[in-house]
């Protein structure tokens, strides 16, 4: 990093190239070097970089009306995008659902936590306030979102600031917390939620939040069939709202508009971010199902919450333009074949002694590295494998998204791959080749 930088960086020990341009799956830095964006940065970029018509749509909206405060006005682009999102959702969102726009994922999580609390107040259950979540999960970096997150490393420095509302077991077959195997396990991890909600604390629970496919924290861990359905059933039985955090997995990334739709689950609240505006504008959204909306309509009507920039006209115009682009280029239909091709190419790496598992759904994929393939033992954290793989892949001009801690919150190394939906076969081969070289340089020495 340039020592004269005025930016407070993510990490003072790292250096950051200065990105100046984007083209499709590529980012170009100020020296002209081109990087293949194999992770869509952080599973954000879906239509690709540098699509000029998104900028044109934003400029047009900005010159017509840049801002109107939501205490006083609604705007056409926000209305239009809300209706389009509800139409993409499960049936309980389509008629009578509503959308609350935010400036990103963490604000969406904060909004859902407060919605769940106020829903129970309006429903005559003022004792319900806890939002239970799973260990090994991530729901955002603001304090409420951190409270419900179960990502050990990201929580650690802020532990004294965080409430303890309860965490239950993750669903992670490769490192099953109960040492069981599917299907013999009968999704015992889902029953951990049932046990929590049946305990004394259960009566104070307002909602359960989960990532249908666990993104950064577990490296695209997909639940087995039956898990999401069982979770939904448990929430219904205990009178608890179900919040699906689809900030990473939503907006078509897994091959369905929302990942829960693979299992025909109807949550009460769906959170989106990232792909909703493809990186062109900071946008998040909370999709609220009919029965939650009705509780607010029946009550005093006001949601005690708000952000100055929610439902911003220019930002929601970007969301509409991205959806227009996805529709006009039929990009949703590209996810499945592109994912199949990338998986086929990556499967060549599976025989490597330190590639434990390649997993995921659609274009949300993870590669986990293990010290011992038969015991699935991770490398010690200090070996810093995920970051070294990332760096070695960057040496081959490919960007991936590394994380540690998938095994127990501390140990376990994986990288996430979440390329734009437009990835070509040649680019999928480049990703595989860069990873092959990275494995060679990290593990040969
Ligand atoms: C599943 C999930 N939830 C919430 C967030 C937070 O979103 P943001 O970084 O836009 O605040 C993220 C970001 O990585 C995420 O992956």
């Amino acid at each position: 990093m340039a020592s004269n930088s005025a930016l407070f960086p993510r990490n003072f020990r790292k250096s950051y190239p200065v990105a100046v341009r984007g083209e499709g799956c590529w980012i170009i830095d100020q020296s002209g070097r081109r990087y293949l964006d194999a992770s869509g940065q952080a599973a954000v970029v879906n239509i690709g970089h540098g699509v000029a018509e998104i900028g044109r749509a934003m400029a047009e909206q900005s010159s017509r009306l840049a801002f109107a405060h939501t205490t006083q006005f609604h705007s056409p682009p926000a209305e239009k995008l809300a209706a389009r999102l509800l139409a993409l959702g499960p049936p309980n969102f389509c008629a009578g659902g509503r959308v609350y726009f935010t400036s990103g994922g963490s604000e969406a999580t904060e909004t859902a936590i407060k919605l769940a609390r106020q829903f129970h107040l309006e429903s005559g259950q003022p004792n319900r306030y806890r939002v239970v979540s799973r260990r090994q999960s991530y729901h955002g970096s603001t304090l409420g979102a951190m409270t419900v997150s179960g990502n050990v490393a990201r929580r650690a420095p802020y532990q004294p600031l965080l409430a303890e509302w309860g965490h239950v077991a993750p669903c992670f077959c490769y490192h099953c917390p109960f040492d069981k195997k599917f299907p013999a396990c009968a999704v015992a991890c889902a029953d951990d939620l049932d046990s929590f909600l049946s305990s004394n604390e259960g009566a104070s629970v307002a909602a359960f939040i989960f990532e249908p496919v666990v993104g950064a924290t577990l490296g695209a861990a997909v639940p087995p069939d039956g898990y999401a359905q069982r979770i939904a059933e448990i929430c219904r039985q205990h009178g608890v709202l179900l919040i699906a955090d689809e900030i990473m997995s939503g907006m078509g990334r897994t091959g369905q508009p929302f990942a829960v739709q693979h299992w025909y689950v109807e949550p009460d609240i769906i959170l989106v971010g990232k792909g909703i505006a493809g990186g062109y504008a900071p946008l998040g959204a909370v999709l609220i199902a009919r029965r939650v909306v009705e509780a607010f309509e029946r009550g005093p009507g006001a949601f005690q919450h708000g952000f100055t920039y929610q439902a911003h006209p220019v930002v929601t115009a970007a969301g509409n333009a991205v959806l227009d682009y996805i529709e006009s280029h039929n990009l949703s239909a590209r996810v499945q074949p592109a994912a199949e091709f990338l998986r086929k190419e990556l499967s060549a790496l599976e025989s490597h002694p330190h590639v434990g598992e390649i997993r995921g759904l659609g274009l949300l994929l993870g590669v986990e590295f293990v010290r011992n393939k038969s015991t699935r033992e991770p490398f010690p954290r200090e070996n810093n494998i995920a970051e070294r793989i990332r760096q070695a892949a960057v040496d081959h001009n490919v960007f991936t998204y590394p994380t540690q801690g998938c095994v127990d919150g501390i140990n376990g190394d994986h990288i996430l791959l979440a390329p734009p939906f437009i990835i070509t076969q040649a680019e999928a081969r480049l990703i595989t080749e860069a990873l092959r070289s990275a494995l060679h340089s990290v593990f040969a020495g």
Side-chain angles (χ1 to χ4, degrees), residues 104-106 138-140 211 245 247-248 274:
S106 300
Y138 181 63
H139 301 293
E211 291 173 79
D245 177 348
I247 290 164
M248 190 175 270
K274 298 185 184 270

Side-chain angles (χ1 to χ4, degrees), residues 10 42-44 102-109 137-142 145 149 154 209-217 245-249 271-274 282-284 401 416:
R10 288 278 185 137
V44 172
T102 62
S103 303
S106 300
E107 281 188 6
T109 303
S137 59
Y138 181 63
H139 301 293
S141 62
T142 49
S149 292
R154 291 183 187 185
I209 182 169
F210 80 128
E211 291 173 79
V213 176
V214 185
T217 313
D245 177 348
E246 299 250 12
I247 290 164
M248 190 175 270
S249 59
L271 311 182
V272 290
K274 298 185 184 270
L283 181 60
Y401 182 154
L416 206 63

Side-chain angles (χ1 to χ4, degrees), residues 132-135 147-150 155 164-169 196:
V132 176
S133 54
R134 299 186 300 185
R135 293 186 286 279
T147 293
V148 292
S149 292
R155 281 173 65 96
E164 189 43 74
W165 291 333
H167 290 87
V168 298
F196 187 95

Side-chain angles (χ1 to χ4, degrees), residues 246-260:
E246 299 250 12
I247 290 164
M248 190 175 270
S249 59
M251 301 312 297
R253 180 152 287 285
T254 68
Q256 288 282 347
F258 304 105
V260 285

Side-chain angles (χ1 to χ4, degrees), residues 171-435:
C171 177
F172 189 17
C173 295
Y174 190 64
H175 296 286
C176 173
F178 300 103
D179 271 330
K180 293 186 185 236
K181 277 207 166 42
F182 183 79
C185 67
V187 288
C189 49
D191 292 334
D192 203 37
L193 176 63
D194 193 36
S195 306
F196 187 95
L197 296 178
S198 304
S199 74
N200 289 341
E201 282 152 343
S204 58
V205 176
F208 174 67
I209 182 169
F210 80 128
E211 291 173 79
V213 176
V214 185
T217 313
L218 294 184
V222 184
D225 270 345
Y227 174 82
Q229 295 94 315
R230 178 83 186 107
I231 286 289
E233 186 182 289
I234 293 167
C235 288
R236 284 290 136 93
Q237 280 165 359
H238 289 271
V240 160
L241 294 182
L242 177 60
I243 305 170
D245 177 348
E246 299 250 12
I247 290 164
M248 190 175 270
S249 59
M251 301 312 297
R253 180 152 287 285
T254 68
Q256 288 282 347
F258 304 105
V260 285
Q261 289 164 311
H262 288 283
W263 304 286
Y264 304 101
V265 163
E266 297 186 19
D268 299 295
I269 295 174
I270 298 177
L271 311 182
V272 290
K274 298 185 184 270
I276 184 176
Y280 286 84
L283 181 60
V286 184
L287 279 60
I288 306 150
R290 188 173 48 240
R291 80 174 179 117
V292 179
V293 174
E294 283 169 355
F296 280 79
E297 285 171 347
R298 277 196 308 269
F303 180 28
Q304 296 299 338
H305 183 62
F307 302 105
T308 298
Y309 287 124
Q310 70 186 63
H312 193 282
V314 178
V315 172
T316 47
N320 278 309
V322 167
L323 265 185
D324 289 344
Y325 192 87
I326 288 175
E327 285 170 11
S328 61
H329 292 76
N330 204 11
L331 292 189
S332 303
R334 286 186 71 164
V335 171
Q336 210 41 44
E340 273 165 29
F341 188 82
L342 181 56
R343 287 289 284 260
K344 185 164 79 55
E345 287 296 301
L346 291 171
S347 68
L349 307 178
E350 269 165 353
S351 57
H352 190 282
H354 295 302
V355 172
E357 188 179 52
I358 301 178
R359 53 180 171 254
L361 193 59
L363 282 175
L364 185 58
L365 300 173
V367 183
E368 183 176 335
F369 309 104
V370 292
R371 175 141 94 176
N372 182 323
K373 217 163 165 153
S374 53
T375 61
R376 302 180 181 181
E377 178 197 351
F379 284 96
R381 186 176 178 84
E382 54 277 16
N383 286 20
N384 215 11
I385 295 295
E387 171 55 22
R388 285 166 58 200
I389 293 276
R390 182 200 77 91
Q391 187 52 56
V394 172
D395 293 344
H396 294 273
N397 303 315
V398 171
F399 265 104
T400 61
Y401 182 154
T403 305
Q404 282 192 298
C406 61
V407 175
D408 54 11
I410 309 290
N411 299 298
D413 292 86
H414 64 264
I415 54 158
L416 206 63
L417 299 174
F421 302 172
I422 53 165
I423 183 170
T424 63
Q425 297 193 345
E427 287 162 343
R429 285 196 191 98
L430 283 177
I431 294 172
T432 308
E433 278 321 302
L435 285 179

